[in-house]
Amino acid sequence: MDEVKRLLEGFADRAAEGLPDADIDADVTRGRLALRRIKRRRRVAGVLCVAAASAIVLSIGNQVKWWGNGNEVAGGPPEQETAAASATPATPATPATQPRTTPSSSQTMSMFGASVVELVANKQAWSAFDCTLAPKGWSPETPMTATRVVLSQPEMRTADSAAKVVLQAAPQARSLSKVRVTDASGKTFHIGTLDGRLTGQVKLSDQWLLVELPTGTVEWPDDVFRRFLDSCTVK
């Protein structure tokens, strides 16, 4: 810029007659401003070029990635995978087997869609059995024997005792499977299965009380069953 200023001063010395004297400092200032504007425009143009180039690279990269994903969009899988798939016979999909939820007798059965049996005060005499509680809606069938009482509901029209509640008195305990033993009220309650039926037994003085519930019942959780057994005595 100093060299430009000296050149301008040299030209000013040889200015034509009749023209005003040259203002060297003002010319230099204008030149500097013009130079700054040129540099600024060049920087802006350079930034725009870099941004445009970056956008092009990103666009091309995304397009390549999009077209290269053959499993989701166009293009299909690679040839090796296609060959392997054609060489291997198709195997039908096997649905996953979900284990069935089997309610245990100690759970509250209402959560499985079945209502829990309701025990109410018993005001009837059951031959040799004296139970203060009875399942609501169940009553003894006749004739009753000294060692066996069968409870049924009024709508039952079957002679199959497997669908009913059977009370028996026996001198010895029966062998149950999947037994759960609980001590309460000074008694020992055994609850398990006998011939596929939920069964409970308890020692009363010199005899055992055995109660068999209907086959497949889910309405007698263990706590309710124990309450019923605990309410009974054998005469």
Side-chain angles (χ1 to χ4, degrees), residues 142-157:
T142 55
M144 294 180 285
T145 68
T147 60
R148 180 184 172 92
V149 171
V150 178
L151 305 180
S152 63
Q153 293 177 301
E155 64 271 15
M156 285 185 177
R157 300 181 182 275

Side-chain angles (χ1 to χ4, degrees), residues 92-153:
T94 302
T97 303
Q98 297 293 334
R100 289 187 175 182
T101 302
T102 303
S104 66
S105 58
S106 61
Q107 294 174 303
T108 301
M109 294 303 121
S110 58
M111 70 178 66
F112 297 96
S115 59
V116 175
V117 68
E118 181 182 356
L119 297 179
V120 297
N122 181 28
K123 300 179 181 180
Q124 300 181 20
W126 293 352
S127 183
F129 303 95
D130 186 9
C131 298
T132 60
L133 296 176
K136 185 177 181 179
W138 297 69
S139 58
E141 295 182 349
T142 55
M144 294 180 285
T145 68
T147 60
R148 180 184 172 92
V149 171
V150 178
L151 305 180
S152 63
Q153 293 177 301

Side-chain angles (χ1 to χ4, degrees), residues 54-232:
S54 301
I56 292 173
V57 170
L58 290 175
S59 176
I60 294 175
N62 289 335
Q63 186 175 7
V64 170
K65 182 178 179 181
W66 185 79
W67 283 103
N69 191 356
N71 293 332
E72 298 180 1
V73 203
E79 292 183 0
Q80 288 183 339
E81 295 181 4
T82 304
S86 60
T88 305
T91 302
T94 302
T97 303
Q98 297 293 334
R100 289 187 175 182
T101 302
T102 303
S104 66
S105 58
S106 61
Q107 294 174 303
T108 301
M109 294 303 121
S110 58
M111 70 178 66
F112 297 96
S115 59
V116 175
V117 68
E118 181 182 356
L119 297 179
V120 297
N122 181 28
K123 300 179 181 180
Q124 300 181 20
W126 293 352
S127 183
F129 303 95
D130 186 9
C131 298
T132 60
L133 296 176
K136 185 177 181 179
W138 297 69
S139 58
E141 295 182 349
T142 55
M144 294 180 285
T145 68
T147 60
R148 180 184 172 92
V149 171
V150 178
L151 305 180
S152 63
Q153 293 177 301
E155 64 271 15
M156 285 185 177
R157 300 181 182 275
T158 175
D160 185 8
S161 63
K164 305 175 182 181
V165 177
V166 180
L167 288 79
Q168 300 181 67
Q172 296 181 346
R174 300 287 299 273
S175 178
L176 306 180
S177 60
K178 301 179 181 179
V179 182
R180 302 176 292 281
V181 180
T182 304
D183 293 323
S185 303
K187 303 174 185 177
T188 301
F189 301 92
H190 303 255
I191 297 178
T193 56
L194 178 65
D195 298 330
R197 299 177 65 174
L198 184 62
T199 304
Q201 59 185 359
V202 58
K203 180 71 177 295
L204 302 175
S205 64
D206 58 344
Q207 296 191 75
W208 284 84
L209 170 64
L210 180 75
V211 179
E212 298 177 80
L213 299 180
T215 302
T217 184
V218 292
E219 300 178 342
W220 289 78
D222 284 4
D223 57 340
V224 175
F225 199 6
R226 283 193 299 268
R227 284 180 55 213
F228 178 64
L229 292 170
D230 191 32
S231 73
C232 297

Side-chain angles (χ1 to χ4, degrees), residues 11-33:
F11 283 115
D13 293 339
R14 292 177 288 176
E17 294 182 359
L19 294 177
D21 296 336
D23 189 349
I24 303 302
D25 292 332
D27 292 339
V28 171
T29 300
R30 285 193 294 271
R32 287 177 176 174
L33 292 176

